[in-house]
Amino acid sequence: MSARVLIVDDLFPNLKLLETKLSLEYFDVVSAMNGPDALAICEKGLCDIVLLDVMMPGMDGFEVCRRIKTTPTTAHLPVVMVTALDQPSDRLRGLDAGADDFLTKPIDDTALFARVRSLVRLKAMTDELRTRAMASRDFGFGDPLAAAAAETGQNARLLVVDDRRASSERMAGALGQYHCVEVEADPQRALVRATEGHVDVAVVSLDLDGFDGLRLCSQLRSLDRTRGIPVVMVADAGDRDRIMRGLDLGVHDYLVRPVDRNELVARVRTQVRRKRFADSLRESVQASMELAVMDGLTGLHNRRYLDAHLAGLFAESTLRGRPVSVLLLDIDRFKSINDRFGHDAGDEVLRQFAERIRAHTRGIDVVARFGGEEIVVVVPDTGLDGAQQVAERIRERIEAMPFPIHGGTRAIDVTVSIGVAVRLPEDGGPASLLKRADTALYRAKEEGRNRVVAAAA
């Protein structure tokens, strides 16, 4: 997988060495020799991952990383800090700044390439979501990236899979200060828990008795219901080959025994933040998709959805020789409601009108706001007689109960006129079916309102 890697180092020989290594692995490389230039490249979207030297004059790597991770437009970028510092306190400082990993000089090429590919792969999974989620701002949802950048990464549900009691208790004790932790010694039961429960991060020991922990990691990454759960491996220092294999399988992060409790907490926090970032993007996309086809006032489908869906139902009805009917409903004298009681009251009536219609239609029926106070109900696999019965039930329900307005302080009587039409062989498309329903509705209005009229065959 190719990607654009930003190398940040104030020493030119270090830049050229890393650039040569990564270019030979078919990565595109850009470089910066100080923090401000690196931030500018990130903000312009010119890189997919950052390899960041810690020891730089002026703005050091920790500060550069912190700024990348707290800026909404760059918080998604993976940052690997490259340093000669190898103390746990140094790693912890970088992880607290938001770094995704540390590589210690001299850099092991295999570890470098495996980590870069792993992080780039994880980033690619959210890039499309980021692009689509940004459109949600146009629907008034706010900025999903800003919300993600402010995430604390705490109060998550964690699953620790380790059959070493002392080890699992230490990890649970460290993580339990910030999260809800469940411990499972049996890998098969752990997989079931992850599948059935709401797990935010799984911490998996690779050294399970009689079972390859890497296989559990692979299962978690491959199953539909667990694929979105970040997985953190815990391995022995000499288990380098399996760590590299795990990263190739898509495992998100790893720790080497003896596990530093502060590093464990920091790495898990990073994974929680990353998962919630992806979840928030996904929710924004879903919400914007729903809003694109929903009417904001009534909660019904809108005209755009109706036009697309009715065309499909009409074509299917023609192909299968099955009936499809349409009800066109219009509140009687709705303008007078707005004039007498105000537009807020009119909106209250429309919302309740939509609710009553929904209550008397099936799940397979399409209910959509056609425009103004008009609502269309598409009734598949239903002939004219059946559609008239549905329309009459709705009409009776509207007339039977007054509509509360002004927050329930008063109520008014409302009636509805309904035109009904069924698809005919000569109908050229949905437009002609809707036209005949509209003609029937017009007749219902002319004949005194508060009635159902069916279009002539």
Side-chain angles (χ1 to χ4, degrees), residues 333-349 403-407 409-414:
R333 297 185 174 89
F334 184 72
K335 183 177 181 302
S336 67
I337 296 175
N338 282 329
D339 292 343
R340 291 175 59 197
F341 305 106
H343 287 278
D344 287 346
D347 289 348
E348 289 180 285
V349 168
F403 282 59
I405 61 172
H406 297 161
T409 58
R410 65 180 305 174
I412 59 175
D413 293 326
V414 175

Side-chain angles (χ1 to χ4, degrees), residues 381-455:
D381 295 331
T382 304
L384 192 61
D385 289 343
Q388 282 183 275
Q389 293 175 17
V390 173
E392 187 60 34
R393 284 200 303 270
I394 294 173
R395 187 201 64 78
E396 291 174 353
R397 179 64 175 173
I398 300 299
E399 182 185 26
M401 297 178 61
F403 282 59
I405 61 172
H406 297 161
T409 58
R410 65 180 305 174
I412 59 175
D413 293 326
V414 175
T415 61
V416 61
S417 298
I418 307 175
V420 182
V422 66
R423 183 191 66 83
L424 298 176
E426 58 267 27
D427 283 333
S432 58
L433 176 58
L434 285 170
K435 177 63 177 175
R436 289 191 295 105
D438 185 57
T439 301
L441 173 62
Y442 184 75
R443 282 176 47 209
K445 296 283 189 182
E446 281 191 324
E447 293 175 9
R449 297 183 174 83
N450 189 24
R451 64 191 62 226
V452 176
V453 171

Side-chain angles (χ1 to χ4, degrees), residues 346-371:
D347 289 348
E348 289 180 285
V349 168
L350 273 174
R351 281 191 287 268
Q352 295 173 67
F353 184 55
E355 290 171 5
R356 295 190 191 187
I357 293 172
R358 268 196 300 247
H360 288 80
T361 52
R362 304 168 299 176
I364 64 170
D365 299 335
V366 179
V367 185
R369 188 177 181 188
F370 196 59

Side-chain angles (χ1 to χ4, degrees), residues 189-205:
R189 287 201 298 265
L191 185 62
V192 172
R193 279 198 187 190
T195 303
E196 296 179 347
H198 300 286
V199 176
D200 292 308
V201 176
V203 180
V204 180
S205 171

